[in-house]
Amino acid sequence: MRETLEKIKKEALEALSSPSAQLEELRIRFLGKKGELTAVLRGMGKLAPEERREIGELANSVRQQIEQRIEMLSEQQKAAKLDAKLAEEKLDVTVPGVGVKTGRFHPLALVQRQLEDIFLGMGYSIVDGPEVEYDYYNFQALNIPKDHPARDTQDTFYITENILLRSQTSPVQARVMEKTTPPIKIISPGRVYRSDAVDATHSPLFHQLEGLVIDRGITMGDLKGTLEMFAKRMFGEQTRIRFRPHHFPFTEPSAEVDVSCFVCGGTGCRLCKGEGWIEILGAGMVHPNVLRNCGIDPEEYSGFAFGLGIERIALLKYHIDDMRLLYENDIRFLNQF
Ligand code: PHE
């Protein structure tokens, strides 16, 4: 029996000498219920008492040595595993980071935001209107009956005979007036459509910003003051404005409004084509027929409206010479803003 125990001890410690020993397997083999050492202990009943004590002590000492050895190896293996994991997941905080790519605003969005800021600062609210619009709001309510020649310059895309893609943001005027009791003081930016072929200055889709003010006693002086303030905020303090007589069916009187060239200050240059002035918007006093169409009494209320092209302002402001650049979404172009 002694020899058997010595043999078990030798074999066990030999098997446990390798740092990568399969500990659980060896534990079962030597110490498990059906293990080799247990088998020896089971047979101890047959021994004489004094022998039993001696063998018992030896067996216990062998068990303890094997257990200790397993315990020690197990600790070592755990530590080695942790070291390997740490080495594998090692993070070098001195390596330069990967930059986070942030988006940026499109030049049209930048201009629209700036316009909105300026008018919000003057007490206007922003309203939205549908791009798919009734003929009624786009034309008829605005004093442009069917077959009126003014429709020619605003040919658009028809969905049915009475539903179209709006050719201007002016229908928002009618929609707001219909459901608001003055005072009214709104701007409305958005997309508009016309059946124009694409070239450096035309696109079938573009953007406008409409303005509308209705109250008692609003005069053309208010319109001029408002647009002058706007021009100075948008193009610089030294900017002057100029009204040229024009015709829009929904305003009377109507004007096209120019700003003094913000590059040359008015002496003439390439940007203003030697004119000293740059046209930026259409405006006028809201026509009494339009007020009446929208349920507002022209004897009690008056107001002004204006509409400007956002592309046009963006092209001028950023000195872009081809409108198509705004829609191609070439990253090399867009990254410059
Ligand atoms: N809607 C006109 C256009 O598209 C611009 C405009 C708006 C003119 C408001 C007068 C008043 O040309």
Side-chain angles (χ1 to χ4, degrees):
M1 234 171 198
R2 185 185 296 280
E3 292 85 71
T4 316
L5 284 172
E6 290 296 347
K7 189 169 153 268
I8 290 174
K9 179 177 159 189
K10 189 167 166 272
E11 274 178 22
L13 293 185
E14 214 174 88
L16 287 166
S17 66
S18 154
S20 60
Q22 297 295 316
L23 299 181
E24 187 55 17
E25 223 167 75
L26 294 175
R27 194 188 61 75
I28 292 169
R29 175 173 156 204
F30 293 108
L31 308 177
K33 270 196 191 115
K34 292 173 186 165
E36 293 179 22
L37 193 65
T38 317
V40 174
L41 292 173
R42 278 219 185 92
M44 273 181 32
K46 294 174 209 142
L47 297 175
E50 58 279 19
E51 223 182 352
R52 197 185 296 168
R53 212 179 121 211
E54 199 187 317
I55 295 293
E57 270 170 17
L58 180 61
N60 266 333
S61 131
V62 169
R63 163 178 282 279
Q64 266 176 19
Q65 286 180 58
I66 297 175
E67 275 175 347
Q68 273 171 14
R69 182 80 201 156
I70 288 179
E71 179 69 15
M72 196 183 85
L73 266 186
S74 164
E75 292 298 324
Q76 279 176 10
Q77 288 185 356
K78 267 193 220 152
K81 229 168 151 181
L82 184 63
D83 282 348
K85 199 169 171 212
L86 287 176
E88 189 191 324
E89 292 176 4
K90 190 165 169 183
L91 185 67
D92 183 352
V93 293
T94 65
V95 170
V98 180
V100 179
K101 288 201 175 120
T102 53
R104 55 180 74 221
F105 285 107
H106 189 280
L108 288 176
L110 286 173
V111 169
Q112 181 175 324
R113 287 175 157 242
Q114 197 185 351
L115 293 167
E116 288 173 354
D117 273 354
I118 292 171
F119 285 105
L120 285 171
M122 292 198 252
Y124 287 69
S125 2
I126 301 174
V127 301
D128 226 354
E131 291 171 32
V132 179
E133 184 55 284
Y134 288 107
D135 183 285
Y136 175 77
Y137 288 110
N138 196 75
F139 292 125
Q140 294 168 58
L142 299 174
N143 209 26
I144 312 173
K146 296 244 177 204
D147 304 321
H148 191 285
R151 290 194 177 208
D152 289 354
T153 58
Q154 299 208 3
D155 191 17
T156 179
F157 304 95
Y158 285 80
I159 285 149
T160 68
E161 190 162 341
N162 293 312
I163 298 175
L164 42 74
L165 297 185
R166 65 178 181 184
S167 62
Q168 49 186 352
T169 42
S170 301
V172 182
Q173 287 186 37
R175 285 182 172 274
V176 170
M177 282 190 269
E178 256 187 5
K179 55 175 206 286
T180 321
T181 312
I184 295 169
K185 201 171 174 187
I186 59 104
I187 54 167
S188 185
R191 294 193 189 95
V192 301
Y193 302 83
R194 292 187 194 178
S195 60
D196 288 331
V198 175
D199 65 22
T201 54
H202 290 88
S203 161
L205 179 161
F206 59 105
H207 299 74
Q208 289 188 334
L209 182 133
E210 194 81 8
L212 176 71
V213 173
I214 308 279
D215 203 351
R216 294 191 176 87
I218 298 290
T219 71
M220 204 143 176
D222 297 309
L223 173 60
K224 279 196 147 177
T226 300
L227 292 182
E228 191 173 327
M229 170 91 94
F230 156 69
K232 287 183 187 302
R233 293 267 160 85
M234 190 75 200
F235 299 109
E237 263 319 299
Q238 69 298 334
T239 310
R240 291 159 290 134
I241 58 169
R242 171 173 92 167
F243 277 48
R244 279 180 293 104
H246 196 72
H247 171 261
F248 297 108
F250 37 92
T251 46
E252 179 60 32
S254 303
E256 278 188 333
V257 180
D258 302 338
V259 292
S260 54
C261 179
F262 46 84
V263 169
C264 64
T267 53
C269 69
R270 243 185 60 176
L271 185 77
C272 59
K273 303 199 176 74
E275 294 276 324
W277 295 93
I278 298 172
E279 183 200 322
I280 56 156
L281 56 85
M285 303 306 291
V286 178
H287 197 294
N289 286 352
V290 175
L291 292 173
R292 262 192 294 272
N293 288 343
C294 302
I296 292 177
D297 181 1
E299 298 300 325
E300 188 177 355
Y301 292 106
S302 58
F304 63 77
F306 57 88
L308 56 83
I310 296 180
E311 275 78 358
R312 188 162 164 71
I313 307 258
L315 297 185
L316 289 168
K317 183 174 158 131
Y318 297 116
H319 302 257
I320 301 166
D321 57 10
D322 193 324
M323 195 169 167
R324 285 168 287 202
L325 289 165
L326 294 175
Y327 308 116
E328 281 164 0
N329 284 337
D330 186 328
I331 285 289
R332 292 167 301 177
F333 171 74
L334 296 176
N335 272 344
Q336 298 174 56
F337 300 91

